Amino acid sequence: MKKLRLLCDSNQMAYGSSSALLAILDHIDSENTAFAWGITKEILSTDHKIHNIISIDNKNPNAVKEAVDLNCFDAVIVVSNLSNIEFYVNGGLPIFFIDLHHWYPTNKNHVVWESASKCFVENFLSNNLSIPDNVCKVGPVIRLTPNSNSKEKIVLVNFGGAENRWIVPGLNSDYIKWAYKILEHFFDRFSDYLIYIAAGYKAIATLTDFDLPKNVKFRTFTQAHYLDILSKSEYLITSPGLNAVFEGMYYGSKTIFLPPQNTSQIIQLSYYENSGLVSKGLNLSDFFDYLNFETELNFNEQDFTKKVLLALNDAVNDSVIYKKIIGHLSEQLNYVNNSNYPELIKSLTCKLGFPGSKTIASYISSAMGDKSDFLADSFFRSSVIKRFNIDPFSLAELKKLVFCSLNEKTVFNSMFTSLLHSAETLLLENFYNLDNHTREIQFFIDDLCKHYESLNPNRDFTIRIAFTTTNLRNAVSNLISSAIKELNISYFNHQKSNPIIEFLVIENSSIVEICECNRDYCKGFRNKNVAIRYVDWDQKSAIRYNSFSIAQSRTFLINEIHALGWQASQSSPIWILDDDFEFIVTVPNKEGFVESVRFGSIFHRLECLSSFDKVDAIIGGNSGASPLPELSTIRLQLMDLNLFLKNQYPKLDFIETLNSIKLNSDYFYDLSRVKGDYFPVIPMSFSKVPDVDFLNEFFVNLLSGKPASRFLFPPLNSNDDYVSAWKLNDGIAVSGGNTIYFNDDLLSLNNYWSLEYNNAFSRRADAIWFLVSRFEGYNIGKMNFPLNHSRSSRISADIFAADLLNNSIKDILGVALWEATNSNKYMCFSQIELSTVIKFIKEREAIFEKNRIDGLNLLKDIEAIIGACRDLDSFMLLKEIFSEPISIDYNKLKLVNYGC
């Protein structure tokens, strides 16, 4: 394939735009011609990615027009230089524009935003960086190269080019000499370090009169050599530029700031101060009021630069300012050696995202017809770019990124969240596309997490899991055993001396046999990494073997959490689960309809999400069985069986089934929600002959709430452009059976409202808590963090019609209360009127009644096809349940806060 012929036009005001250009070109197979003028020439003329140089002033449009024949190029890459855009537009040359300074206070109404083939904006440490919808925001456009295994005793002092079209070192600026004199005060502290002072040729020339200590060397590096030295340097001392600061952060060097030397650095330093990267007191605007760019009505960089030069001249001759800056640098040295500094860098690099040069290059290659290295679009890809500014959608790309960062702890840590998210998204996509590479991706995730563990062995991250038991056999042992298995395989926090996971188990089973099995398991449990606190019946109530409702048992659970002294935090979350969860996920596979498997690395994902948008809590979702009462999915699954028995639908294409599920979100809500359009799901398990044993298993599964034909998968909704392994979701996420608390203020029972009816509480209390807490301003994230809801089939002796009907009534009441709350957005829940809730209850009753009649007719149809169903207790129990309408006495309803 013929190489792309690219014209490269980077802003000559400093090194940053040219180094960003080279970072992009690293990923494009192209013949590159670049403008090189002033200090730009120093970096571009020495790099192997630039094949031809045009030595003219690319800030002069007329000179560019005379020197360049646009017919010789396929496209132009423009980095932060608007001077020649009109020429490129009129010449019909495709423009790819990268704005490294979108935060800069200049007019954004330029023609480039409409005329360019694609515009990219570099992310920055600004909370108010708004961009047009058609513009792609990417992470810092810097080069990441494989770096040294460890830091050496090197201090790299970076002045950058130190000049631009209005500032010339030694002519109208003595900044370099002044800054060097400041640095001399710290040479003794670095007497056993090698100190490189890196700058452009003109800047270095101003320092030749100084007597240098033996360990201090002046250098003008090529960019490749500069990055190699930076990767080894323990300290980076730099003027507050852009790329140099980002490079220092991502390469893990302790970054110390010098005062600004030009207009853009004054503005940039203010952002670094606001982010916590450096304390206030260093900026020239702190000493000279006339340098407040925010008060400029019509900001003009050239005019403002004159003020900067005036301020620098005054600062050079002011002993008070001189001493204050020396004191500030001394404080910075202490600050970067503080134990909290690495966490700050990790947080900031996560906010900035993974370096964006690959994303930009991939887009350019694709747009220009070169698909060889472009990552194909996928159902999940857009969210990864949107959320984390990372675009490595192949296993090979992920491995490259790990290789490039693995030898530097700070860089790897800053990327870990993005890498894990991308890998788990790729894994999810492979499962859905029935790809055979899922095992290889899972191995990669395990290796990725082991690398993370080896670099961070002493971190203190404890997981505390609390749940109440029910009448499900072996649920407690299954849940805890699956957690131990995941813990061992993932190598999670393996060097922690105290227990990594602590369980709180509140006994609530009404079946003596199950209660005794739970007690024996918990009391006899021994594991160095896992601890169990078991609370038996006699410790919480004089009434023995009589289950409390979910709402009632939750009060015991939270009170016991407080009694243990547990406090939810970012480093010690408290995870409240239903007892019938397991630490696996149900996904479709190629051989059968579903498979319950390890998916990614659940505990590492939790650690990543602990700082995700500073959430106070996460509602995590489900897979496998739906988190609903037993009768809630029966109608749909009876329709599946009926159609199969009538042979109206042969075994459907598997992908077609999955696409149907994507397009019909929350399909599993049936008797409890508005009945949507039916779409057939005929799983491969139906391929066997439907004999009596098969039908009995089918009906028992329905009565147990276990999937008979329809399984619940991790949420997929094709209307959502940003689906990913960790997508924000809705629907089932309001179910609170999988809730993770990071803020201890939420572990209060103040917001646990419910309807009391016949001495029982309505279901969905967690969903009400979710709404009310959000109304109060807490950040409750609805996250695709599913665990397998492994509700097992009950034995017949455990199934009672009255219990199933009562659960359905409690669910109708809970859904109605949730809908009333959600529709009216009550800021104070106590203001809700019971009459409003009753209106929604009547709507829920009508839906339930219609679906009950449909279910009864379906049972009769099935009975007509296979008369032997009449001999099955499970079938006759279903007919009994569906034969009588339910009735709710509204006079017995009471709205209560059961937590108080």
Side-chain angles (χ1 to χ4, degrees):
M1 181 178 292
K2 184 180 178 181
K3 284 188 176 183
L4 285 175
R5 300 170 302 166
L6 296 178
L7 178 62
C8 304
D9 184 351
S10 61
N11 192 348
Q12 56 171 262
M13 297 290 281
Y15 280 157
S17 294
S18 294
S19 61
L21 169 68
L22 295 175
I24 297 166
L25 295 178
D26 278 343
H27 304 286
I28 305 178
D29 185 18
S30 53
E31 182 75 18
N32 306 315
T33 300
F35 294 110
W37 187 257
I39 60 170
T40 308
K41 193 170 185 177
E42 295 175 8
I43 185 171
L44 295 181
S45 63
T46 59
D47 198 281
H48 72 283
K49 292 302 296 184
I50 302 300
H51 307 105
N52 306 295
I53 291 291
I54 302 176
S55 297
I56 62 170
D57 181 1
N58 57 324
K59 286 288 188 180
N60 184 338
N62 292 327
V64 170
K65 289 177 184 178
E66 292 180 7
V68 177
D69 180 2
L70 296 183
N71 293 319
C72 296
F73 303 100
D74 300 311
V76 58
I77 299 178
V78 181
V79 185
S80 297
N81 183 28
L82 297 173
S83 304
N84 307 303
I85 297 298
E86 184 179 351
F87 173 51
Y88 304 139
V89 171
N90 292 337
L93 192 65
I95 303 168
F96 297 96
F97 180 66
I98 298 95
D99 187 1
L100 303 182
H101 307 91
H102 197 70
W103 41 268
Y104 208 67
T106 54
N107 192 334
K108 300 299 187 295
N109 295 323
H110 197 277
V111 67
V112 69
W113 301 105
E114 301 296 331
S115 302
S117 298
K118 188 68 175 180
C119 294
F120 302 87
V121 169
E122 184 180 55
N123 204 357
F124 195 53
L125 299 173
S126 168
N127 295 324
N128 301 311
L129 184 61
S130 60
I131 60 172
D133 292 336
N134 62 334
V135 175
C136 180
K137 184 169 69 172
V138 297
V141 188
I142 58 175
R143 277 173 158 171
L144 275 188
T145 58
N147 45 354
S148 61
N149 292 326
S150 61
K151 292 297 186 184
E152 300 176 14
K153 285 200 167 187
I154 298 175
V155 178
L156 178 59
V157 179
N158 171 65
F159 290 124
E163 67 170 297
N164 61 36
R165 62 197 299 199
W166 301 305
I167 298 177
V168 181
L171 183 62
N172 63 356
S173 173
D174 284 326
Y175 174 86
I176 301 298
K177 290 183 177 180
W178 178 58
Y180 181 81
K181 290 178 180 179
I182 293 171
L183 290 174
E184 284 185 317
H185 289 269
F186 299 92
F187 285 167
D188 287 345
R189 294 182 65 168
F190 294 115
S191 59
D192 56 343
Y193 282 72
L194 177 58
I195 302 174
Y196 286 109
I197 296 181
Y201 292 115
K202 290 182 181 178
I204 291 293
T206 66
L207 299 174
T208 54
D209 294 337
F210 287 93
D211 293 327
L212 301 182
K214 291 182 179 180
N215 64 325
V216 178
K217 301 180 184 299
F218 293 150
R219 291 290 187 271
T220 297
F221 292 116
T222 65
Q223 197 198 27
H225 194 186
Y226 173 86
L227 293 178
D228 179 60
I229 295 297
L230 175 60
S231 71
K232 301 172 184 176
S233 299
E234 182 180 349
Y235 292 92
L236 171 67
I237 301 177
T238 180
S239 56
L242 200 63
N243 281 48
V245 174
F246 289 153
E247 288 160 354
M249 291 168 64
Y250 281 80
Y251 279 93
S253 299
K254 299 171 182 176
T255 303
I256 297 166
F257 289 89
L258 294 166
Q261 58 180 308
N262 57 43
T263 297
S264 62
Q265 290 186 3
I266 288 176
I267 302 172
Q268 284 157 194
L269 181 55
S270 67
Y271 283 112
Y272 297 142
E273 290 169 343
N274 292 335
S275 70
L277 194 56
V278 60
S279 62
K280 295 182 182 295
L282 185 69
N283 215 327
L284 292 176
S285 56
D286 294 327
F287 306 116
F288 304 100
D289 293 339
Y290 56 80
L291 287 182
N292 188 350
F293 68 90
E294 295 179 350
T295 63
E296 296 279 322
L297 297 178
N298 297 295
F299 184 83
N300 180 286
E301 184 174 3
Q302 183 175 4
D303 292 340
F304 199 86
T305 299
K306 294 177 183 178
K307 297 181 180 181
V308 173
L309 290 171
L310 177 64
L312 283 172
N313 183 63
D314 291 342
V316 167
N317 299 300
D318 191 315
S319 60
V320 175
I321 294 177
Y322 184 75
K323 290 179 181 179
K324 284 185 177 180
I325 291 174
I326 292 173
H328 197 285
L329 264 66
S330 182
E331 291 175 1
Q332 287 188 64
L333 272 170
N334 295 331
Y335 179 57
V336 298
N337 288 307
N338 188 286
S339 59
N340 295 327
Y341 183 75
E343 285 302 313
L344 170 68
I345 298 301
K346 179 181 178 181
S347 173
L348 293 179
T349 50
C350 284
K351 179 178 180 179
L352 290 167
F354 189 80
S357 53
K358 173 65 176 179
T359 301
I360 298 172
S362 295
Y363 189 95
I364 294 172
S365 296
S366 175
M368 298 309 296
D370 179 8
K371 305 291 184 180
S372 59
D373 193 37
F374 186 64
L375 304 166
D377 283 337
S378 69
F379 188 61
F380 303 95
R381 179 169 171 260
S382 59
S383 71
V384 182
I385 299 172
K386 182 80 173 180
R387 189 73 193 163
F388 294 109
N389 302 317
I390 187 172
D391 188 15
F393 243 85
S394 74
L395 188 56
E397 288 297 322
L398 287 170
K399 288 179 178 178
K400 284 182 187 177
L401 294 174
V402 173
F403 174 78
C404 289
S405 64
L406 190 55
N407 291 327
E408 180 51 61
K409 176 179 177 180
T410 304
V411 178
F412 180 83
N413 284 348
S414 70
M415 292 169 52
F416 179 71
T417 296
S418 299
L419 288 169
L420 181 61
H421 173 259
S422 298
E424 291 195 333
T425 299
L426 184 62
L427 181 64
L428 184 64
E429 183 185 43
N430 273 256
F431 270 119
Y432 274 92
N433 289 334
L434 309 178
D435 194 287
N436 289 322
H437 296 295
T438 53
R439 186 183 297 269
E440 184 182 359
I441 299 170
Q442 182 64 66
F443 286 159
F444 167 79
I445 292 172
D446 290 337
D447 286 342
L448 176 72
C449 294
K450 287 180 182 178
H451 289 317
Y452 178 73
E453 293 295 342
S454 67
L455 291 173
N456 302 275
N458 298 316
R459 73 190 191 284
D460 187 13
F461 190 91
T462 299
I463 300 172
R464 289 162 170 169
I465 300 173
F467 62 90
T468 57
T469 71
T470 60
N471 288 339
L472 293 177
R473 300 173 186 273
N474 302 316
V476 172
S477 59
N478 288 343
L479 188 158
I480 296 175
S481 297
S482 71
I484 295 172
K485 183 177 181 180
E486 171 63 22
L487 192 64
N488 293 337
I489 296 175
S490 69
Y491 222 52
F492 180 79
N493 218 353
H494 66 291
Q495 291 199 20
K496 189 174 185 293
S497 58
N498 297 324
I500 301 170
I501 301 179
E502 299 178 52
F503 282 96
L504 170 61
V505 182
I506 305 290
E507 185 58 65
N508 193 41
S509 175
S510 63
I511 299 175
V512 174
E513 176 191 351
I514 294 176
C515 182
E516 291 177 345
C517 285
N518 292 339
R519 183 189 308 118
D520 291 343
Y521 175 83
C522 293
K523 296 292 186 182
F525 182 85
R526 297 293 183 273
N527 187 291
K528 66 176 183 178
N529 293 324
V530 178
I532 299 177
R533 160 68 170 165
Y534 177 75
V535 179
D536 209 342
W537 267 98
D538 56 5
Q539 292 176 257
K540 53 176 206 165
S541 174
I543 305 173
R544 193 168 177 79
Y545 303 135
N546 180 22
S547 290
F548 289 118
S549 68
I550 294 176
Q552 291 170 301
S553 63
R554 182 57 51 86
T555 63
F556 293 114
L557 185 70
I558 292 181
N559 285 332
E560 192 63 30
I561 286 174
H562 293 317
L564 286 174
W566 287 6
Q567 288 189 317
S569 66
Q570 302 293 328
S571 61
S572 185
I574 294 177
W575 199 343
I576 295 182
L577 289 171
D578 288 346
D579 67 332
D580 49 1
F581 277 107
E582 292 179 4
F583 290 90
I584 54 178
V585 178
T586 294
V587 290
N589 70 352
K590 193 168 187 177
E591 290 75 27
F593 186 56
V594 295
E595 183 179 5
S596 295
V597 296
R598 276 194 74 231
F599 190 88
S601 185
I602 290 174
F603 297 135
H604 285 98
R605 188 188 320 158
L606 172 62
E607 185 174 357
C608 291
L609 292 177
S610 68
S611 58
F612 195 85
D613 286 346
K614 297 182 179 178
V615 290
D616 295 303
I618 286 175
I619 313 295
N622 312 67
S623 70
S626 57
L628 299 166
E630 293 82 344
L631 300 184
S632 294
T633 62
I634 286 183
R635 181 187 65 91
L636 288 181
Q637 297 188 83
L638 286 176
M639 290 177 74
D640 292 341
L641 176 62
N642 192 33
L643 289 169
F644 176 70
L645 294 175
K646 291 179 178 180
N647 292 317
Q648 293 183 11
Y649 287 89
K651 186 169 62 176
L652 296 181
D653 177 77
F654 191 66
I655 296 297
E656 181 182 340
T657 298
L658 291 177
N659 287 335
S660 298
I661 292 173
K662 293 176 189 177
L663 293 168
N664 293 267
S665 61
D666 297 341
Y667 63 91
F668 45 86
Y669 283 94
D670 185 16
L671 302 186
S672 62
R673 299 195 74 174
V674 175
K675 183 172 63 178
D677 294 335
Y678 171 76
F679 63 94
V681 173
I682 308 301
M684 293 182 180
S685 60
F686 274 25
S687 60
K688 62 173 131 179
V689 178
D691 56 17
V692 172
D693 288 339
F694 168 81
L695 291 173
N696 184 60
E697 180 184 1
F698 184 89
F699 295 135
V700 170
N701 282 345
L702 288 183
L703 289 165
S704 301
K706 184 177 180 180
S709 68
R710 293 173 178 250
F711 288 81
L712 177 60
F713 300 139
L716 286 179
N717 184 341
S718 61
N719 295 322
D720 185 347
D721 291 334
Y722 306 122
V723 174
S724 72
W726 304 353
K727 67 167 281 192
L728 299 177
N729 56 44
D730 215 322
I732 63 159
V734 299
S735 170
N738 175 11
T739 303
I740 307 160
Y741 296 79
F742 301 105
N743 185 340
D744 203 60
D745 293 342
L746 288 171
L747 281 168
S748 149
L749 293 169
N750 294 337
N751 290 334
Y752 280 93
W753 291 85
S754 186
L755 286 170
E756 186 176 356
Y757 181 70
N758 285 340
N759 297 318
F761 292 106
S762 61
R763 289 173 54 90
R764 313 286 182 126
D766 283 321
I768 305 300
W769 164 84
F770 166 82
L771 289 176
V772 177
S773 296
R774 283 188 67 182
F775 296 160
E776 292 183 353
Y778 290 102
N779 184 7
I780 315 294
K782 297 182 290 184
M783 190 69 63
N784 179 13
F785 189 13
L787 299 181
N788 199 51
H789 194 225
S790 56
R791 180 182 286 157
S792 59
S793 297
R794 295 188 178 96
I795 61 175
S796 300
D798 297 340
I799 301 174
F800 301 99
D803 290 340
L804 300 183
L805 287 170
N806 284 335
N807 279 343
S808 291
I809 290 174
K810 287 187 283 188
D811 196 57
I812 287 171
L813 298 178
V815 171
L817 181 57
W818 183 90
E819 290 179 323
T821 307
N822 192 47
S823 64
N824 290 281
K825 301 291 189 299
Y826 289 96
M827 298 304 294
C828 180
F829 192 87
S830 60
Q831 295 176 357
I832 194 169
E833 296 288 342
L834 187 59
S835 58
T836 302
V837 181
I838 290 174
K839 178 175 73 74
F840 284 97
I841 293 174
K842 291 180 178 179
E843 293 177 2
R844 295 291 104 210
E845 275 190 287
I847 293 170
F848 185 96
E849 179 64 12
K850 176 65 171 63
N851 289 341
R852 181 192 67 80
I853 294 172
D854 287 348
L856 183 60
N857 290 332
L858 285 166
L859 289 170
K860 292 177 180 178
D861 286 346
I862 293 169
E863 185 179 9
I865 297 171
I866 302 181
C869 289
R870 288 186 290 269
D871 298 327
L872 300 174
D873 292 340
S874 56
F875 178 82
M876 298 308 292
L877 181 57
L878 274 171
K879 283 190 69 175
E880 175 189 344
I881 291 170
F882 277 59
S883 295
E884 295 293 333
I886 64 170
S887 178
I888 298 175
D889 186 346
Y890 305 119
N891 293 320
K892 294 182 179 180
L893 288 170
K894 183 166 56 173
L895 186 62
V896 297
N897 185 340
Y898 64 85
C900 296

